[in-house]
Structure formats: structure tokens, C-alpha cells
Amino acid sequence: MDYRALGLKVGLEIHQQLATHKLFCECPSRLSDEEGGIRFERRLRPTQSELGEVDAAAIEEARRHLSFVYEASENTCLVEADEEPPHHPNEEALDIALEISLLLGAKPVREVDFMRKLVIDGSNTSGFQRSALVAMDGAIHVNGKRIGVPTVLLEEDAARKVGESKDEVAYRLDRLGIPLVEIATTPDIQTPEEAREVALAIGSLLRATRKVMRGIGTIREDVNVSVRGGARCEIKGVQELRLIETFVQKEAERQLMLIEVATELRDRGAGTVPEDGVDLTHLFTGSPSKVVQSALKKGGKVLGWVLPKFAGLLKGKLGPELAAHARVAGVGGIFHSDELPAYGVTQAEVDAVRTALSLADQDTFVLVADEEAKGHHAIEEMRPRAVQAVRGVPEQTRDPRPDGTSVYSRPLPGKARMYPETDVPPLRIHEAHLRALAERLPERPEVTVPRLVKEYGIHEQQARQLAQEGSDDVFELIAHEFGEAKLVATVLLYNFSELRREGLDVDGIPEDHLRELFSLLKAQRFAKEAIPDLLRQMARKGVRASDAARAIGVQGMDLADVEKLVDEVLDASDDVVRSKGAAAEKTLMGRAMERLRGRADGKLVSEVVRSRLHARLEKKKEKGKEN
Ligand SMILES: [Zn+2]
């Protein structure tokens, strides 16, 4: 797809947790698997901002009538519970944010003033998030192109959602208050690939400071996407940098689809959509549909709602959009006539509905089977979305899904949600302090990458990836001490990513455990083939390399041991040796490696197999001559 021709515009907001204690208290920035036993409940209501407006996103959130349950943990105090005012801001966090700003060439502000940003999804106990502008007007350069970074903010992370039911959302407080730096780019990104590259470049820069947190969930991106004729939609909280490209592609495709649908609807003269649905329960009393039956059993109703001239535009198009809005009312699913008969709804029922609603060919209908009040509420939520469909793409906040698609979550928040934080004093930033920070800035990734290639002879792609993952320091430490730079790079990139995919916390393996692993390898205590198994054990049990080697029975073998074992294999494979002669080498090598993998180097085994096989064949030849 030619994204430039489509007028694709992408802007990123990157949120990175900083490796220091919380922003407004001294609690450690650590997540906890256990709840601390204290739970409390809150409800939040939207209030006016200083400008007298009430935020649209806040109103919709309030309509969901949710109550919020908070679980305290060992890493939280009364500040997170909003029972105590914030303490003095963490100045180390501010320094890290300033360092990042300087690396981005942004100009720090003279005074840091914290603001309150209205947040009403319950993720903050106070109903707002504290946020401060730290620097302005920086940039990042990717493939020779300048992407602006208009703002760098320092803010507090939100509480972590741990559960959700119909009318309650549960949060754990451990994440609340962890310092975050927010880096926003201008919407100058023009292709999905460029979006990924910019995100990775910013990620490398952040990791170059060595002062940011690593691992799943420590960096999150909001991806703003629009195409020409579309509208800004924000996919909020993407955790996997490498998936950004897919999110942008899918969102661009969705907006193009909606533009096409809008054009078709206008051509058909669509536009008026009825306010509400009609009770059609009497047509469904004997319905074989399970959804309908379970709704009727609860005393619910089947409501039919007409979408005039929408036929054929729901399935795979507007259908999922409308269903997402019905979910705001707590209705799990809807039926629409584009996909019926199906789900137990019969053709006869479809015909009866069409007759009852006196539909024309181009008209379509939506069925909602649920409690009556909820059904009406669902239609009330869907109606504005159906009306918008004629105009095109509505602005939205969307939730990312694991497959790279996204789903509607709420309207885009407006600008009317900031007001000053009166509990936190402003912080002055002095020139001398900035100069001191500027003097000890870390090496930038664009300097690190070519240096690693030159000094260690690794591939440029590997060097770049090490910098992106922030593993370049561990790489240098180990490669410098033990040599084998290529192997070290392969282990840190390839083996680590394999094990991450298995869900293992390889990033949590301490540096000295990794150094021990390579020092044992150098001492030939085991072969390099054993590394993945050893790392798996080290990550799983948190043990040292030597303990892992003992636990999984990987002990180094000397030449005599290898020869003995190869001889055993040859004895057991005499039939193969007889029938194939020298050509048996490959089979024998396979059998030997089955027993030696991880315990001896593959090259050594191969040499031993070859020499022992040839010795044996010589002997057989001699014997043949004698006879
Ligand atoms: Zn605390």
C-alpha cells in the first residue's frame, strides 16, 4: 500500500518507567504478585475543568456506573491511596527526565510545575494523574529524517488493572506513582515501518541512559493514526514496540474501510437513524437461539432496531464498531441482519422481523437480546456511532489487541482536563545543574552501534538490536572479558528472545550470573549447545550457572570421555557401519550427539566420530584381506 499517497499520519506518545523510587513517595517502583490484604472501594464523578467544561471521555466513563476496588500491596503507602498528600517530588526522576530531554535536544523549562490531568477510568485513586512539562522542542533523527519531539513530560504511572466484572473494576496500587517519562512526537511519521523505526530509535535512546526500567510493561506507547479524510484515533497502551507497524497498518485499513462505507451510505441517501428499537420479543418466544433463550429466561426482551439503507455494510465493517458501543451499556453481543440467519436465529425469524419492521431491501436491522433497560441503553450508545458512519471516521481512543487490531474504548479526551496541582511545589531548574547533566550524558546509540561493529566484529544489525534492547552494556562487559563476541551477541539476542517467548524472565538474570555462564563455557565445563537449557534453568529458578549445570546434568566431558562414548555408539551401530561404510558418518554423528548434546562441543564430537569410524573401517578391511 502506498501510505504516503493515502496521507497517513502517525504520531507516537512513548511512556517509559524510570528506574528509581516512586514520584511522590518513597515506595519502591516494584510490582507485587501478592495483594497486601487491604482493599477499599471508590466511585468517581466527572467535574468541570477550570474552563468550565466537562470532558466527553469522563462523561462516558461515568455513564458506565462502575465502582473501583483497589488492592494495596507491600509496595504502597497512604500516598497511593490518596489518604496523604504527595511528598516532595523525586528529584532523581526529574534528573533522568532532564537527561532524556538533553539527549533529544529538547530545551528544559526553567520551572517544573505539576498539573492534575483528569482521569476517570479509576486508574488513579485521586481521579487525576500528576504530570509536568520538563522540556520542549526536541527531535529524533531516523534514516536522515527529523521527527519532532514537541514535549517531554514527567508523570506518575497509573494503577494496574487486575480484574473487571460487569459493574466493578479492580486495580492494584503497586504501579501507581512509578515515575514515567512521556515523549510525544509530531505526526510526521508517514508509513507503518517508519512508526516502528521511530519507536525503536526512541527506545534505544531511553535505554542508553541505563536509568529506565526494562521488561514487559515498562514501556508503553500510544499510537495516533489518521489517513486523509479519516480522523485521529489513538491506540492506547501498546506494549510491544515491534507490533507498532501492524497496529498502524490495521488502523489505516479500518479508516479506509470507514471512508468507503461513508461514501456508499451518502450515495444511498442514508442518514436518518431511528432513536430506539422496537420490542419484537413475541416473534422469538420459541427461538432455538441460545442467546435469545437465555435473555428471555431472565425476563429480558428482544429489541429490533432499524438501520435504513445500511444493508451489506455491517458484516466485517460497521458491525464490530456498533458491537463495541453496545458493550459500553454492558451488552455483550448483538445480531445484525447482514449475518443472519446464524447463531440459532432462523430464516423464518429473519423474515418475520423484516415484515414487522416493514424493511426495504437496502435496510438492515440489529437485534439486541438482553434485559430491557440494558437493551435500550445499548441502542442509545450505538445510535450516535451509526449516525457518524455517514460522515466517516469518528475520533476515538482504542484498546490494542494482541493480534495487532484494536477495539473502541472511549471518545478521545479533550483538552479541558488539566488544572494546577496545589499540593506539589514548583521545582526550579538551575543552569549549573543542567550544565553538569549535559557533561555526563551517555554515549548515543548512533555512536554506540558503529563502535560495537568495529570493536567486536559483530554484524551491524546485531549491534543495532543490542542497543535497541539496552543489552549493549552487558554484551560489552562479557565480550570484553571472555571474547567470543559473536556468540555472546547471539545468546543475548537470539536465545534470549526465544526464552522470552516461552514466558521466562531472562532479563531478570543478574549480570554476574551471565558472566559466570560464559566463564564456565570458556573453561569448557560444558559446550555452547547447552546454553539455552542452562539459561532456561537460570531464569526459572533464579540460580547461578554452576548450579544450573549441576541441576540439569550438564557437565563438561574431556576427550577420553567423548571417545569412550563414541565407541559405545559405534558398537551399538555395527549394522549401519557394515552396510554403509564411510557413508554412515552422518547417521553416527546424529546418534552420538543425542547423547552428547550440551556436554561436548559439536565440532569435537564430529572429529572423534570421523576418526573412530575410519579406524574401524580400516580394521575391517585388514580383516577381510586376512581371510
Ligand atoms: Zn507510597
Side-chain angles (χ1 to χ4, degrees):
M1 222 183 279
D2 184 354
Y3 290 100
R4 283 189 177 83
L6 295 172
L8 179 70
K9 274 183 164 184
V10 183
L12 301 175
E13 252 176 53
I14 298 194
H15 302 88
Q16 167 73 62
Q17 291 180 346
L18 306 181
T20 171
H21 69 83
K22 289 193 176 175
L23 194 49
F24 295 109
C25 63
E26 288 66 44
C27 294
S29 296
R30 208 169 30 234
L31 301 188
S32 166
D33 289 334
E34 286 153 45
E35 48 173 302
I38 299 172
R39 289 162 66 93
F40 57 92
E41 191 184 321
R42 298 262 166 88
R43 281 170 183 276
L44 297 173
R45 287 166 195 87
T47 54
Q48 290 178 355
S49 76
E50 284 217 311
L51 300 173
E53 298 162 51
V54 181
D55 186 67
I59 294 172
E60 175 163 327
E61 208 58 62
R63 273 213 306 270
R64 299 184 199 206
H65 304 295
L66 293 170
S67 76
F68 304 109
V69 172
Y70 299 97
E71 297 173 358
S73 83
E74 52 185 356
N75 299 330
T76 57
C77 65
L78 289 175
V79 173
E80 287 92 335
D82 195 34
E83 294 289 354
E84 185 180 310
H87 302 179
H88 187 78
N90 176 347
E91 296 207 12
E92 188 187 12
L94 177 59
D95 277 354
I96 303 171
L98 285 169
E99 195 177 298
I100 291 166
S101 303
L102 293 174
L103 282 170
L104 288 162
K107 286 150 207 66
V109 296
R110 303 266 158 205
E111 185 179 279
V112 176
D113 296 295
F114 281 91
M115 300 288 285
R116 295 175 173 183
K117 187 159 80 180
L118 193 72
V119 173
I120 201 157
D121 63 0
S123 61
N124 284 63
T125 44
S126 55
F128 54 79
Q129 176 194 33
R130 297 185 185 94
S131 169
L133 180 67
V134 170
M136 285 182 291
D137 201 18
I140 183 119
H141 292 84
V142 176
N143 299 330
K145 178 172 162 184
R146 182 185 189 277
I147 304 287
V149 174
T151 56
V152 180
L153 305 177
L154 176 62
E155 30 183 63
E156 53 182 354
D157 205 345
R160 183 160 64 108
K161 198 188 269 187
V162 288
E164 194 168 10
S165 69
K166 231 172 45 192
D167 37 28
E168 189 185 282
V169 186
Y171 288 101
R172 194 159 298 167
L173 293 182
D174 50 6
R175 201 179 70 184
L176 181 59
I178 294 181
L180 285 180
V181 77
E182 186 205 279
I183 295 168
T185 77
T186 48
D188 295 327
I189 298 166
Q190 291 172 297
T191 68
E193 195 190 0
E194 194 171 69
R196 183 177 58 104
E197 283 171 355
V198 170
L200 288 174
I202 293 176
S204 303
L205 200 70
L206 289 167
R207 282 163 180 184
T209 64
R210 316 282 179 231
K211 290 170 191 158
V212 299
M213 306 256 261
R214 293 177 51 186
I216 302 250
T218 58
I219 186 165
R220 303 192 298 273
E221 297 83 27
D222 299 344
V223 188
N224 287 281
V225 184
S226 67
V227 298
R228 190 179 302 113
R232 180 162 81 92
C233 285
E234 176 171 349
I235 305 166
K236 216 171 174 57
V238 176
Q239 300 203 2
E240 178 54 76
L241 288 174
R242 277 161 224 290
L243 266 185
I244 284 187
E245 191 170 347
T246 317
F247 280 112
V248 174
Q249 274 168 7
K250 304 252 182 197
E251 178 56 19
E253 283 164 20
R254 191 186 69 93
Q255 294 200 9
L256 292 172
M257 175 276 287
L258 289 175
I259 292 168
E260 223 173 272
V261 166
T263 310
E264 174 66 25
L265 284 171
R266 283 196 296 266
D267 285 352
R268 293 182 189 178
T272 44
V273 175
E275 296 277 345
D276 204 350
V278 180
D279 187 349
L280 298 175
T281 313
H282 61 281
L283 300 177
F284 288 91
T285 45
S287 178
S289 161
K290 285 200 186 96
V291 178
V292 170
Q293 280 310 326
S294 93
L296 296 187
K297 224 173 275 167
K298 286 187 295 186
K301 293 267 153 74
V302 180
L303 302 180
W305 179 47
V306 187
L307 290 174
K309 304 187 177 166
F310 276 61
L313 300 176
L314 265 65
K315 191 167 187 184
K317 294 176 177 172
L318 290 175
E321 304 278 323
L322 292 172
H325 285 263
R327 272 196 290 278
V328 175
V331 171
I334 55 169
F335 299 120
H336 58 75
S337 50
D338 276 3
E339 53 179 4
L340 296 177
Y343 311 110
V345 176
T346 64
Q347 183 63 51
E349 287 166 337
V350 172
D351 294 341
V353 172
R354 295 199 78 94
T355 309
L357 297 172
S358 19
L359 300 189
D361 282 350
Q362 273 195 335
D363 299 341
T364 189
F365 66 83
V366 170
L367 296 178
V368 184
D370 214 307
E371 292 161 31
E372 188 173 4
K374 266 167 79 177
H376 287 296
H377 184 193
I379 292 169
E380 192 188 317
E381 292 293 340
M382 287 189 284
R383 185 172 180 273
R385 181 65 193 85
V387 173
Q388 280 165 337
V390 184
R391 290 200 293 269
V393 186
E395 291 190 339
Q396 287 176 352
T397 304
R398 301 179 64 81
D399 285 334
R401 285 181 159 163
D403 64 353
T405 62
S406 63
V407 62
Y408 168 76
S409 73
R410 52 178 171 267
L412 215 53
K415 306 253 174 244
R417 52 177 194 147
M418 293 281 254
Y419 54 110
E421 164 60 83
T422 43
D423 288 337
V424 180
L427 297 176
R428 294 286 303 172
I429 297 178
H430 300 284
E431 272 307 319
H433 185 61
L434 276 181
R435 266 199 306 277
L437 284 175
E439 269 163 29
R440 50 184 162 89
L441 281 184
E443 184 178 72
R444 310 173 66 89
E446 59 265 35
V447 179
T448 310
V449 172
R451 186 174 61 72
L452 293 183
V453 172
K454 192 157 163 265
E455 281 178 31
Y456 297 94
I458 57 171
H459 203 274
E460 195 198 323
Q461 177 61 27
Q462 285 185 319
R464 194 174 313 127
Q465 223 177 317
L466 285 166
Q468 276 165 6
E469 295 185 1
S471 321
D472 50 314
D473 52 343
V474 183
F475 164 78
E476 276 203 81
L477 186 83
I478 295 172
H480 188 75
E481 198 170 340
F482 305 107
E484 297 263 18
K486 283 182 183 144
L487 176 65
V488 178
T490 307
V491 169
L492 292 178
L493 295 172
Y494 179 73
N495 293 135
F496 267 46
S497 78
E498 292 266 285
L499 293 167
R500 263 183 223 121
R501 233 169 285 148
E502 290 176 26
L504 290 166
D505 180 25
V506 276
D507 301 293
I509 299 178
E511 211 170 87
D512 62 317
H513 288 191
L514 286 175
R515 284 173 55 207
E516 191 199 15
L517 178 78
F518 282 96
S519 102
L520 292 174
L521 178 74
K522 199 175 183 187
Q524 297 188 318
R525 285 280 303 281
F526 47 78
K528 62 174 187 285
E529 286 81 2
I531 289 177
D533 287 335
L534 287 167
L535 285 171
R536 193 175 287 117
Q537 183 77 7
M538 289 162 71
R540 200 173 281 155
K541 306 277 184 199
V543 294
R544 309 188 65 86
S546 48
D547 296 329
R550 211 167 302 124
I552 62 174
V554 175
Q555 297 291 344
M557 297 185 86
D558 59 21
L559 181 61
D561 292 334
V562 175
E563 287 177 339
K564 191 164 158 255
L565 209 139
V566 168
D567 282 339
E568 282 172 29
V569 169
L570 288 173
D571 288 345
S573 312
D574 200 48
D575 50 332
V576 187
V577 177
R578 257 172 218 288
S579 61
K580 288 192 168 172
E585 189 181 316
K586 214 173 147 194
T587 314
L588 296 169
M589 177 65 189
R591 290 182 184 176
M593 282 311 283
E594 265 172 39
R595 299 180 57 182
L596 282 160
R597 191 176 313 281
R599 300 159 73 192
D601 184 55
K603 224 164 94 191
L604 174 72
V605 178
S606 153
E607 275 162 22
V608 173
V609 166
R610 180 171 306 156
S611 71
R612 300 305 256 196
L613 173 64
H614 282 274
R616 218 164 258 231
L617 292 172
E618 283 301 310
K619 218 185 271 172
K620 283 197 201 308
K621 227 193 276 170
E622 295 288 313
K623 258 195 192 153
K625 269 182 209 159
E626 275 166 30
N627 293 342

